Amino acid sequence: MRSLLANAYVVTMDDEGTELPAGWILLEDEEIAALGEGAPPKADAVSDLRGSVVLPGLVNVHHHLYQTLTRARAQQADLFTWLRELYPVWARLDAEAEYAAARTGLAELALSGCTTVFDHHYVFPRGQEGLVEAEIQAARELGVRLVASRGSMDLGESEGGLPPDELVEELDAVLADTEGLAALHERGHGARVQIAVAPCSPFSASRRLMAASAELARRLDLRLHTHLAETAGEEDYCRELFGCTPVEYLSELGWLEGDVWCAHCVHLEEAAIERFARAGVGVAHCPSSNLRLGAGVAPVRQLLDAGVAVGLGVDGSASNERGDLFLEIKQAMLLARGRGGPDAMTARQALWLATRGGAAVLGRQDVGVLAPGTCADLAVWRSDGLELGGADDPVAALVFSGPHRVDRLFVGGREVVREGHLVTADETEIARDHRRIARRFADVV
Ligand SMILES: [Zn+2]
């Protein structure tokens, strides 16, 4: 089956920054067969996308889907206070709730143009099973790509950690479960489900677990992820407990290698940025979440100038209630400008973070770019509505006036969103089911 998308403003995000103002894209099965301008090739089906901009599907590199169940809590709290308030609420999580949460979070992301999602799941209440499997099921049903993680916490309050003792696990159990889930990891071009190893943070995972996780990830050839340098409080914690900065701590644990990416990295000194660049460690920048928790502003311009791969994350919906990756593109641009002036980041550089940057952070070459042979993951945006009127650069205007609901979304050539609505699921039903489950979490705070 060859289908043609014609008459669109195509933004390829290739190395040369090629844009095709009167472009066409030929899809064949799950891939892009060809793209160009001028007379299009013959196809079995043709869609006229006049008045639209086509971007690669967006890539979200940090999220906690379960948090859609607990929005708008601890509204004025900093990270540690927020976590302490929410841990006991999250202890109610089970597979049914995780499924409902993932469907909601993944649907929100799809409607914001996102085709590949990384989820950092680290809450495993005792006796609960099938949590990661539940979110994988939700992603398969919706038709989006998921990099799920077997996260973990083993450092409870009684041992100097932040989470309550009843929410932490035994190290051996964590490693065994991670190894079991690794069987679900797909390799190579077009992978739809992948698994990463992701102990939660230096203040909730022990030194032993951090080191053993890195060892396991390398033995199983999986990528490795954690939260790092999110707040000044975390830096104080590391200095007090380990006598060094969070990045020095990671270095001691053998983490600083090219298979690692870290979320936030708000508080990085110049030397740490250089270390990340030399080692090939990537960063998940989460602008709205960092602002919501008053964590600070990540040095994204400096990271990019040093050659660090930076992607964007919405982060969990308890610290960024709007799970819209297009909003994060705009936020990243505005935040970079707030820190470094109006030329600190262009609209196209911000789009790069959410496409090529995200793909690089996840170690993928088959998504985040429109080129022959890459996955047919495309986001189609209307550029003829009210909010883009008068704009002579539809690409920059899209970013400046964002966020927007995506008009059409394709993942591996399959249509997931059409005319701004999910094709593969019923949005109203997802919301209704989610509201029913979320009540279980509402009476605790
Ligand atoms: Zn996070």
Side-chain angles (χ1 to χ4, degrees):
M1 173 78 179
R2 285 154 62 93
S3 55
L4 184 75
L5 308 177
N7 302 316
Y9 192 115
V10 177
V11 183
T12 68
M13 302 308 293
D14 66 9
D15 289 343
E16 291 73 38
T18 307
E19 297 181 5
L20 310 167
W24 52 261
I25 304 173
L26 183 67
L27 312 184
E28 187 160 9
D29 302 323
E30 296 195 14
E31 291 182 4
I32 294 173
L35 72 175
E37 272 190 306
K42 290 212 168 0
D44 304 309
V46 180
S47 296
D48 189 340
L49 297 185
R50 210 172 299 263
S52 299
V53 172
V54 180
L55 297 173
L58 308 179
V59 180
N60 180 39
V61 295
H62 188 70
H63 202 351
H64 312 285
L65 289 163
Y66 73 92
Q67 291 182 11
T68 59
L69 294 161
T70 58
R71 293 189 226 238
R73 315 294 165 86
Q75 295 171 13
Q76 277 73 245
D78 64 16
L79 175 68
F80 284 5
T81 314
W82 174 89
L83 281 168
R84 283 198 186 96
E85 185 166 330
L86 279 159
Y87 285 135
V89 187
W90 294 338
R92 296 189 162 195
L93 195 68
D94 61 15
E96 185 191 22
E98 178 64 25
Y99 174 71
R103 284 211 303 165
T104 292
L106 293 171
E108 280 184 276
L109 280 165
L111 291 166
S112 78
C114 183
T115 51
T116 300
V117 179
F118 166 67
D119 187 57
H120 187 181
H121 191 79
Y122 57 85
V123 173
F124 293 86
R126 289 195 190 136
Q128 298 299 337
E129 288 184 354
L131 295 166
V132 176
E133 291 88 341
E135 61 179 81
I136 290 174
Q137 187 190 338
R140 286 194 198 282
E141 287 170 4
L142 205 60
V144 297
R145 297 183 202 281
L146 179 71
V147 181
S149 68
R150 202 330 177 160
S152 51
M153 302 192 291
D154 74 334
L155 193 64
E157 254 173 332
S158 64
E159 292 179 63
L162 201 72
D165 287 358
E166 52 276 18
L167 209 54
V168 302
E169 300 176 90
E170 295 294 330
L171 183 144
D172 291 343
V174 168
L175 298 180
D177 196 36
T178 309
E179 187 147 6
L181 284 166
L184 300 173
H185 181 78
E186 297 171 12
R187 295 190 186 277
H189 189 89
R192 284 193 171 258
V193 171
Q194 296 193 308
I195 302 291
V197 182
C200 187
S201 65
F203 51 83
S204 60
S206 68
R207 183 185 285 270
R208 279 178 62 225
L209 178 58
M210 293 292 285
S213 296
E215 219 168 274
L216 182 71
R218 280 155 194 159
R219 179 160 66 75
L220 300 175
D221 191 20
L222 301 176
R223 292 182 85 76
L224 190 58
H225 179 71
T226 194
H227 292 99
L228 199 80
E230 182 171 355
T231 63
E234 180 185 330
E235 173 134 6
D236 296 343
Y237 179 94
C238 284
R239 284 195 190 280
E240 196 174 311
L241 255 82
F242 315 127
C244 60
T245 67
V247 173
E248 287 163 351
Y249 178 56
L250 272 203
S251 174
E252 271 177 31
L253 297 168
W255 268 60
L256 296 191
E257 291 188 25
D259 53 358
V260 171
W261 84 106
C262 300
H264 303 302
C265 301
V266 172
H267 300 274
L268 290 190
E269 293 156 3
E270 215 176 296
I273 293 174
E274 285 304 321
R275 292 183 87 157
F276 269 34
R278 270 202 310 278
V281 174
V283 168
H285 176 41
C286 305
S288 291
S289 171
N290 295 156
L291 292 172
R292 153 69 151 95
L293 292 172
V297 177
V300 174
R301 182 72 264 160
Q302 290 85 336
L303 285 162
L304 294 172
D305 288 345
V308 175
V310 180
L312 294 182
V314 294
D315 205 359
S317 298
S319 66
N320 172 15
E321 278 69 6
R322 184 77 189 263
D324 184 317
L325 195 59
F326 205 93
L327 174 60
E328 298 312 304
I329 295 173
K330 179 174 172 176
Q331 291 278 52
M333 182 186 71
L334 297 181
L335 211 50
R337 291 178 178 207
R339 184 181 168 119
D343 59 354
M345 188 178 289
T346 68
R348 284 168 173 81
Q349 286 167 342
L351 282 173
W352 177 274
L353 299 182
T355 52
R356 294 294 297 280
V361 158
L362 296 180
R364 305 273 303 237
Q365 281 87 44
D366 56 340
V367 299
V369 60
L370 304 180
T374 61
C375 294
D377 291 9
L378 310 115
V380 181
W381 309 87
R382 299 301 313 179
S383 60
D384 53 2
L386 298 173
E387 69 277 16
L388 266 73
D392 62 356
D393 177 350
V395 183
L398 208 58
V399 175
F400 284 131
S401 67
H404 316 271
R405 185 173 269 228
V406 76
D407 185 48
R408 299 176 76 177
L409 191 76
F410 296 85
V411 185
R414 181 186 180 202
E415 205 170 11
V416 172
V417 178
R418 185 186 306 148
E419 292 180 355
H421 294 285
L422 296 173
V423 176
T424 49
D426 179 349
E427 195 178 328
T428 310
E429 190 269 321
I430 291 176
R432 191 169 49 232
D433 187 48
H434 187 264
R435 265 199 311 281
R436 176 178 66 81
I437 302 277
R439 276 189 221 118
R440 286 190 219 158
F441 296 79
D443 60 348
V444 183
V445 289

